[in-house]
Every structure is written in C-alpha cells, then in structure tokens.
Amino acid sequence: MPRCQRHFRCTGSRTISVRHSSWEAPALSNTRHTKVLIIGSGPAGYTAAVYASRAMLEPLLVQGVQPGGQLMITTDVENWPGESNILGPGLMANMEEHARAVGTEVVSDHVQSLDLSCRPFRANGDAGTVYTADTVILATGAQARWLGLASEEAFKGFGVSACATCDGFFFRGQDVVVVGGGNTAVEEALFLTNFATRVTLVHRRDALRADKILQHRLFRHEKIEVLWDHTLDEVLGTEDPKAVEGVRVKHVRTGQVSTVPCKGVFIAIGHTPSNELVKDSLELHSGGYAVTAPDSTATSVPGVFAAGDITDHVYRQAVTSAGMGCMAALEAERFLAEQGRDAEIAAE
Ligand code: FAD
Ligand code: NAP
C-alpha cells in the first residue's frame, strides 16, 4: 500500500491526517505543498517548469535518478532549434538553469509512489519528503531497451545508439547495423538510408512484426539487407580512438558466427515508458504509455497531465517532449483557474 494512504484519509478535496499508534506524523518540514508538482527533469519537465513558473504557479520539480533525462547519455544534439550543435548534457544544463532562473524549485529527489486517489495528490519522495499537489505533471519519460551486452554498453555514444533520428547524421557514407524487427527498427533502417551507404537489419526471427507497408518499403530498398535468424552477440571496436568497427552475429539455429563490418549500431528493440508511478492509477495504452485526451496532455485523472515520452510512442524527440511540457503547464494553469472559480461559486 502506498505510504500516504496509511498516513492520510482522503475525502474529496479535504484531507484528514490520521494518527496511527505505530506511525509518527512526518515532520512539518518534510511535507511540501505545491500547486504544480512536476515529476521528471527531461525536456518535458523543464519546459513545463518554465511555463508554470512564468504563470506564477511556483512549481516544484522533482528530478528523479536521471537529472536531465535521456539526453544526458548522448553527445551531439543537432536538431534542437536554435542550436546547430550542442551536447546533450549541455542542453539539459541550460534547461535546468532556465527553469531555476524563472523561479522553479528544483528538488533532487526521486518519487517512490504517487497517490492520485486523494486531493491534493500525494507523492512520496525517496528522502522521506511527502509532496502534496493540486496538479501533477508527469514527465517521467521512457527508456530505450538495450540488449544488455557489455560491449554494447562500452560503445554507447561511440557508435552504438538507440535513436536513428538523433544520431543517423553522424554516419554519412558509412555502413550501419540496425537490430530489431518491429516498426521502430524498420523505420530506423529506412531513415538511415538517407545517410548510410549500407544498412543491415539484424533480426532474431525469419519474419518482421513491422507493418506490411513498412516491410514493403524495406524489402525493395536497394541499400538495405536483412540478416534473418541472427542475434547480435558482440559489438566490435577500437579503444583508441573509441569507435565501432563491426558486430559479431550468430545464427539462432546453426550457431554459426560471422562478422558484419559497420561504423554504427542502432538498437531498436522497443522502448519502455517509465510508468511505474501510475501503472495502476492512470489509463495506459497497450505499450504502457499514458493515455491523453486528443490535442491535450490531460490524462484519465482530472488535474494530472502527462508530457513527453511517457505518453508518446510515435515521435520520442526532445522538441516534441518540450512542446508537450508547454501544453501540460498551460493546461494545469487552466485547470487550477477553473477549480478556483468552482470554489468561489461554492462559497457564494
Ligand atoms: P526523459 O528525457 O526520458 O526524462 C525523464 C525524467 O523523468 C528523468 O529526469 C528521470 O530522472 C525522471 N523520472 C523518471 N521516474 C521518476 C520518478 N519516479 N521520480 C522522479 N523523476 C523521475 N531526441 C532529440 O530530439 N534529439 C536527439 O539528438 C536525441 N538524442 C537521443 C539520444 C539518445 C541516446 C536517447 C536515448 C534519446 C535521444 N533523444 C533525442 C530522445 C530524447 O532524449 C527524448 O525524446 C526526450 O529526452 C524525452 O524527454 P522527456 O522529458 O519526456 O523524458
Ligand atoms: P516492438 O514492436 O515491441 O518490436 C520490438 C522488436 O525488437 C521485435 O521485432 C522483437 O523481436 C525485437 N526484440 C525485442 N527484444 C529483443 C532482443 N533482446 N534481441 C533481439 N531482438 C529483440 O517495438 P517497436 O518497434 O519499438 O514498436 C513499439 C510500438 O510502437 C509498437 O506498437 C509499434 O507498432 C509502435 N510504433 C509504431 C510506429 C508507426 O506506426 N509508424 C513506429 C514505431 C513504433 P520479435 O519480433 O522476435 O519479438
């Protein structure tokens, strides 16, 4: 049971503190209330923070275990408007500075559990802080799935990537490998033909699960070859300079091992939305992404908004996440204004 359910009884918008014999009330300084609680410090979270701060909502942003989000694990970002070439960590440092400069309180903590059944909403931080909030902007992002190889880890950012849209440009005139057989892998392979000389799609079965239309495009593309029934066993490369030189692949039935020379390796075996906090409280779609209303960031719980990769299985870009962060803050502002009006009418 989430800790706050033990600590508080929720009665609509009122909350009554309940004293149990075995429980001690948290110290006052350990309970923080905010009009807007932003969970996550990627582009969606920081953009929501900038907008909510400028609306004088004094938001509180909890950074999580990956301050700055996914862009912290990449090098060059070349598709953030206004910055033709910036490093991922530099871009995220700028966003954090911007959010702080306009008045966001940025907290180094991780939300362990979130109770959306009570008003105000309640979040428990790892460090023991209880955050109560009139609205929540969920910006917890997603994590690319990886194969889990030591060599894959070693060459991440040095030829191994999980984002062709982001990194494909660096492989102009070179050979690349894509791993996976779903829509993402096929789209990534097709996209990479814009830069690469040759794209080899390595798939562990003899059939793709990607949409037929994408398969059709893939099969007739002269730059793409499919290596069926193979798994990627190891990423091969040099240490100095640190660079990928190829991959070792294995046939799943014969066990025969071979090498595919390449300079880039794109792992496209799916993404996992970071939905742990809301998997039982918000409506999710099949892949576990938070459902939002059309043209909105409103989730199935009024007052809770979702922005960025936690809700987006299609675009998964920094700029689209930031756009959704903006929408979420504007919608939170409207929600609070409506709640205020309702309260005034009720009081009359
Ligand atoms: P994320 O960036 O995923 O951030 C999620 C945040 O939520 C993190 O700060 C995390 O700490 C926090 N969080 C999670 N759970 C909790 C919790 N329980 N409590 C508190 N906080 C929590 N996109 C581009 O546009 N251009 C690129 O060049 C590009 N390069 C990329 C390179 C790589 C290697 C990867 C993996 C992705 C790349 N992307 C790129 C995609 C881009 O990074 C994402 O689309 C974007 O970061 C999503 O932003 P977000 O704010 O939704 O979430
Ligand atoms: P996905 O559909 O889950 O496909 C993942 C692929 O990776 C599968 O082919 C799977 O192989 C393979 N795979 C998984 N784990 C692996 C491992 N450990 N080693 C080797 N291969 C592995 O994921 P996705 O392609 O990212 O798509 C996710 C969702 O987004 C889907 O619903 C998809 O339709 C949607 N999407 C849609 C579009 C679009 O409509 N244009 C674009 C992108 C994504 P098996 O086939 O053998 O299981």
Side-chain angles (χ1 to χ4, degrees), residues 39-45 62-71 73-74 76-79 109-111 139-142 163 166-167 274 277 307-310 316-319 321:
I39 308 177
S41 55
V62 182
Q63 288 183 306
V65 291
Q66 190 178 34
Q70 293 171 62
L71 286 182
I73 60 161
T74 191
D76 304 87
V77 175
E78 295 188 349
N79 52 14
D109 197 356
H110 180 80
V111 176
T140 49
C163 181
C166 323
D167 297 331
S274 304
L277 293 175
D309 283 12
I310 178 66
R316 293 191 297 236
Q317 295 295 295
V319 73
S321 297

Side-chain angles (χ1 to χ4, degrees), residues 38-71:
I38 300 169
I39 308 177
S41 55
Y46 281 137
T47 307
V50 168
Y51 275 78
S53 294
R54 297 192 75 252
M56 312 297 276
L57 295 174
E58 299 169 341
L60 189 150
L61 180 148
V62 182
Q63 288 183 306
V65 291
Q66 190 178 34
Q70 293 171 62
L71 286 182

Side-chain angles (χ1 to χ4, degrees), residues 4-348:
C4 74
Q5 285 181 359
R6 274 191 283 124
H7 295 176
F8 299 95
R9 189 192 312 149
C10 302
T11 55
S13 60
R14 281 188 315 127
T15 301
I16 301 162
S17 186
V18 180
R19 188 74 194 255
H20 294 289
S21 53
S22 58
W23 172 77
E24 273 187 39
L28 206 55
S29 60
N30 262 357
T31 302
R32 304 287 319 277
H33 183 76
T34 176
K35 293 190 199 92
V36 184
L37 176 66
I38 300 169
I39 308 177
S41 55
Y46 281 137
T47 307
V50 168
Y51 275 78
S53 294
R54 297 192 75 252
M56 312 297 276
L57 295 174
E58 299 169 341
L60 189 150
L61 180 148
V62 182
Q63 288 183 306
V65 291
Q66 190 178 34
Q70 293 171 62
L71 286 182
M72 298 304 283
I73 60 161
T74 191
T75 48
D76 304 87
V77 175
E78 295 188 349
N79 52 14
W80 182 259
E83 298 278 4
S84 56
N85 194 332
I86 187 166
L87 295 175
L91 178 59
M92 294 320 298
N94 292 350
M95 285 194 205
E96 178 177 346
E97 193 184 320
H98 189 171
R100 285 184 190 272
V102 289
T104 307
E105 182 176 353
V106 177
V107 180
S108 173
D109 197 356
H110 180 80
V111 176
Q112 210 176 67
S113 62
L114 178 64
D115 190 346
L116 301 179
S117 69
C118 46
R119 301 296 173 100
F121 302 118
R122 298 182 182 282
N124 292 294
D126 263 354
T129 307
V130 176
Y131 304 93
T132 62
D134 299 325
T135 60
V136 170
I137 295 178
L138 191 71
T140 49
Q143 294 290 327
R145 278 189 217 131
W146 297 95
L147 295 169
L149 304 170
S151 55
E152 171 192 61
E153 186 62 36
F155 286 103
K156 264 184 205 168
F158 295 91
V160 173
S161 167
C163 181
T165 321
C166 323
D167 297 331
F169 188 70
F170 302 116
F171 298 94
R172 275 162 295 168
Q174 295 175 337
D175 290 356
V176 298
V177 158
V178 176
V179 182
N183 277 335
T184 302
V186 172
E187 283 192 344
E188 304 256 280
L190 288 165
F191 179 75
L192 286 163
T193 59
N194 292 318
F195 316 101
T197 312
R198 177 134 218 93
V199 179
T200 306
L201 184 81
V202 177
H203 183 40
R204 63 184 178 183
R205 291 191 296 126
D206 62 357
L208 301 172
R209 65 170 68 233
D211 295 347
K212 287 286 178 277
I213 187 157
L214 287 175
Q215 295 196 30
H216 181 66
R217 281 183 211 145
L218 182 97
F219 294 145
R220 69 173 192 191
H221 205 292
E222 56 187 16
K223 282 189 178 178
I224 302 178
E225 184 189 339
V226 183
L227 201 53
W228 299 108
D229 296 316
H230 276 79
T231 53
L232 192 158
D233 260 14
E234 193 178 351
V235 179
L236 310 168
T238 53
E239 270 310 310
D240 195 13
K242 196 157 187 170
V244 168
E245 292 294 331
V247 292
R248 195 165 59 228
V249 292
K250 186 158 81 184
H251 195 283
V252 292
R253 282 188 295 279
T254 65
Q256 192 177 343
V257 170
S258 50
T259 300
V260 182
C262 64
K263 295 288 183 194
V265 182
F266 290 85
I267 309 296
I269 60 170
H271 279 73
T272 309
S274 304
N275 64 13
E276 297 79 10
L277 293 175
V278 293
K279 59 181 189 301
D280 299 321
S281 53
L282 286 188
E283 197 184 323
L284 306 174
H285 44 104
S286 46
Y289 293 85
V291 171
T292 51
D295 302 324
S296 166
T297 60
T299 68
S300 52
V301 173
V304 179
F305 304 89
D309 283 12
I310 178 66
T311 179
D312 173 19
H313 70 284
V314 180
Y315 301 107
R316 293 191 297 236
Q317 295 295 295
V319 73
T320 46
S321 297
M324 284 184 256
C326 156
M327 288 166 65
L330 296 177
E331 291 188 278
E333 185 188 0
R334 269 178 225 144
F335 177 87
L336 290 167
E338 279 162 20
Q339 296 283 299
R341 273 195 296 276
D342 289 351
E344 276 171 27
I345 292 165
E348 279 169 13

